Amino acid sequence: MAKFSGTRAHVYLAMLPVWIIVLVALVSSTVWTFVISLTNSKLLPVYKFNFFHQYELLLKQPAWQVAVSNLIVFGVLFIAICLVFGFVMAIMMDQRIRGEAFFRTVFLYPYAMSFVVTGLVWQWVLNPGFGIQAAVRGLGFENFTFDWIVQPDRAIYILVLAAVWQGSGLVMAILLAGLRGVDEDLWKATRIDGIAKWRVYTSIVLPIIAPMAATATVLLAVSVVKAYDLVVALTGGGPGNATEVPAKFVMENLFARQNVALANAGAIMMLVAVIAILVPMYYARRYMAQKAEV
Amino acid sequence: MARNVTTQRKIVNTVLAWGIGLLIFFPILWTILTSFKSEATAIADPPVFLFFDWTLDNYRVVQERSDYMRFLWNSVIIAGGSTLLGIIVAVPAAWSMAFVPSARTKDILLWMLSTKMLPAVGVLYPIYLIFIKMGLLDSRVGLTVVLMLINLPIIIWMLYTYFREIPGEILEAARMDGASLKEEILYVLTPMAVPGIASTVLLNIILAWNEAFWTLNLTAAKAAPLTAFIASYSSPEGLFYAKLSAASTMAIAPILILGWFSQKQLVRGLTFGAVK
């Protein structure tokens, strides 16, 4: 590529605002958050250090434990179901159906919208009084019950349902791109060999698109750790603490319970979780890129 | 690509696609339909689907409440402002990364992009403190700046990928013809960069329009955009369903429309570039 005729100085000048913003705003804020998490701050930041005391407290907090275990249940189910749905949808989309661009956009719409806005209609649909339950009963099935949203042991599955609705289009889009990369000759070969289509998909295509599936999994996993909108819009953490999640725990301790240091400890824990998801991905990518170059 | 599909299978797949599409679109469709119902019809038991008296009352009522317009206006200003600001900061940076790449440009980009994936709670409190100090809480200016900040990595990265596609030879040709640096930028690069910038703007408006975490936490009454307005009503006991649906419809309408026109960019941006 021909070099732009600007000088090094131009380049540094062009990058300067970005560096200032990224370093000052993002990095220093994160460090600040970490520093506060090492103190005893309650309502306002007080810089009396107590090292990892807050983390100890945090891990012992029943509310935090519940939030984390909810998140794990939610995350595992959500990611697994999303991947399966997304894969099936991608296969369907790959069959030269009419109006592919149209469907791709429609499938992706839920992901493009804030759940704070779309959560409203979900509350409506799931409300036993006038949603699905009322509709089915109206059709004559008087005993039909669908009130999971108000049942403590079921509400988490409602979150999964709504999150799958929101996320499966994203998985579809990513996996579809992977399917498009599969060589046409491979299909011809398997057809000649008379291998059943589902076998081809599970045993040959799936390994080929594994990197795409990994990307999708990482994106979903990151969104799981951050889950906030969904819970606030749909259940508010309830009933009881059945759908409490770490992000909400942090927000509550930050603003409602005046437990600033504890909240920031929680935030740092979430940060570490996301980094733990991203770093292996990053190195895997590099490794693959290096392998491709050789 | 899809492997000799028989006509029969094609029909089955198309029907399936419509079915799934409808299922996925249903909640959105329902919100739109409900916005045209009267409050009583909205909570009718059993629910009414299409055959009701269509009314624009909800929109009228919502419009009449002047504060609704303020929320809408806030959304427009914050989404537009943060996008504009972001573009101004990001264009030179993306430009230099694309045309004068160093050995570490890729790593820097990846690192920047990953900050977009970090949980916002990690930086919320310091920013909140700064906002209190500077009196920026519940102000449009503050929110605009914050949204610019959190979306900046994705703007830079999107622009970078677009700028990379501009062929370098064209610069050489321009230089052969004796173009100065200024002319190069103004007459050669800028026209070629416009489509990429436009796509990035579209995507970022969608992202900023949707933003809920920051808008919920940093605004109260004055600077709150639509997302915050709708969230504040989120315990619907059936009282204002139709009106809330009208507000929601207005909140999702720009995304439905912008998303339609920027399908490819939407996919590209939302998947963090996993899909080109």
Side-chain angles (χ1 to χ4, degrees), chain A residues 149-222:
Chain A
I149 199 163
V150 293
Q151 296 210 7
D153 54 339
R154 296 280 166 80
I156 192 104
Y157 302 117
I158 289 297
L159 285 190
V160 174
L161 177 71
V164 166
W165 171 75
Q166 200 183 21
S168 49
L170 177 83
V171 179
M172 182 279 298
I174 295 174
L175 294 185
L176 181 61
L179 287 180
R180 287 289 144 84
V182 175
D183 198 341
E184 184 68 28
D185 289 344
L186 187 131
W187 283 103
K188 280 187 194 142
T190 57
R191 214 173 297 131
I192 291 165
D193 288 346
I195 302 169
K197 252 189 170 176
W198 67 271
R199 274 289 296 185
V200 182
Y201 273 117
T202 51
S203 309
I204 304 174
V205 173
L206 207 52
I208 295 177
I209 63 167
M212 292 306 235
T215 304
T217 309
V218 167
L219 286 180
L220 294 180
V222 167

Side-chain angles (χ1 to χ4, degrees), chain B:
Chain B
M1 277 306 289
R3 14 279 168 198
N4 269 3
V5 185
T6 60
T7 322
Q8 198 190 354
R9 276 227 52 92
K10 219 168 178 174
I11 295 170
V12 171
N13 275 314
T14 309
V15 170
L16 201 65
W18 274 103
I20 297 177
L22 214 62
L23 201 67
I24 288 181
F25 197 65
F26 180 77
I28 298 166
L29 181 68
W30 191 256
T31 310
I32 299 171
L33 286 175
T34 306
S35 73
F36 294 108
K37 293 173 182 172
S38 67
E39 291 295 354
T41 323
I43 55 164
D45 176 21
V48 193
F49 189 58
L50 275 175
F51 305 104
F52 54 87
D53 290 324
W54 292 61
T55 169
L56 283 170
D57 259 13
N58 300 310
Y59 288 92
R60 195 177 47 75
V61 171
V62 161
Q63 297 280 6
E64 270 169 12
R65 291 173 48 180
S66 59
D67 57 340
Y68 170 80
M69 285 310 283
R70 200 185 64 227
F71 291 111
L72 182 73
W73 194 226
N74 282 341
S75 271
V76 172
I77 291 180
I78 292 164
S82 69
T83 303
L84 188 70
L85 213 60
I87 290 285
I88 292 172
V89 176
V91 165
W95 200 294
S96 69
M97 279 173 156
F99 289 105
V100 198
S102 73
R104 275 177 305 162
T105 298
K106 274 254 159 86
D107 288 336
I108 293 172
L109 269 170
L110 201 64
W111 180 75
M112 272 188 187
L113 200 60
S114 58
T115 61
K116 174 78 185 142
M117 299 190 202
L118 295 178
V121 286
V123 291
L124 172 67
Y125 191 60
I127 289 181
Y128 182 74
L129 290 179
I130 294 169
F131 268 45
I132 292 177
K133 269 255 160 70
M134 298 175 69
L136 284 173
L137 219 54
D138 199 18
S139 77
R140 286 175 193 162
V141 178
L143 206 57
T144 305
V145 171
V146 164
L147 290 198
M148 184 272 279
L149 275 180
I150 57 160
N151 286 327
L152 190 63
I154 210 160
I155 298 183
I156 293 181
W157 171 79
M158 283 277 282
L159 287 175
Y160 168 81
T161 58
Y162 283 115
F163 289 169
R164 275 281 302 269
E165 286 163 11
I166 298 175
E169 289 78 13
I170 212 156
L171 288 181
E172 275 170 8
R175 230 166 290 154
M176 294 274 258
D177 292 343
S180 68
L181 173 60
K182 204 177 122 195
E183 284 167 336
E184 221 176 283
I185 293 177
L186 261 173
Y187 301 115
V188 184
L189 289 177
T190 308
M192 297 194 75
V194 164
I197 296 177
S199 318
T200 311
V201 165
L202 273 181
L203 177 79
N204 198 62
I205 287 179
I206 291 176
L207 289 180
W209 186 271
N210 270 335
E211 180 52 48
F213 182 82
W214 290 98
T215 55
L216 290 183
N217 288 309
L218 294 180
T219 63
K222 243 171 55 219
L226 278 176
T227 42
F229 167 74
I230 292 162
S232 69
Y233 275 86
S234 74
S235 55
E237 293 307 319
L239 285 171
F240 304 111
Y241 253 123
K243 280 177 202 72
L244 267 177
S245 295
S248 300
T249 302
M250 288 176 166
I252 57 179
I255 295 165
L256 286 174
I257 296 161
L258 289 181
W260 188 254
F261 288 112
S262 59
Q263 296 177 354
K264 278 205 164 142
Q265 294 80 329
L266 194 68
V267 174
R268 192 166 167 172
L270 291 178
T271 58
F272 285 89
V275 179
K276 279 259 165 76

Side-chain angles (χ1 to χ4, degrees), chain A residues 4 196 272:
Chain A
F4 181 59
V272 170

Side-chain angles (χ1 to χ4, degrees), chain A residues 30-67:
Chain A
T30 309
V31 172
W32 196 353
T33 299
F34 179 63
V35 169
I36 292 173
S37 78
L38 299 178
T39 66
N40 275 331
S41 312
K42 285 282 175 203
L43 174 60
L44 290 167
V46 185
Y47 297 97
K48 271 192 198 144
F49 291 98
N50 209 341
F51 295 101
F52 291 96
H53 180 61
Q54 297 294 345
Y55 291 84
E56 235 172 85
L57 282 181
L58 183 74
L59 294 178
K60 278 190 208 144
Q61 281 255 339
W64 176 260
Q65 289 164 358
V66 169

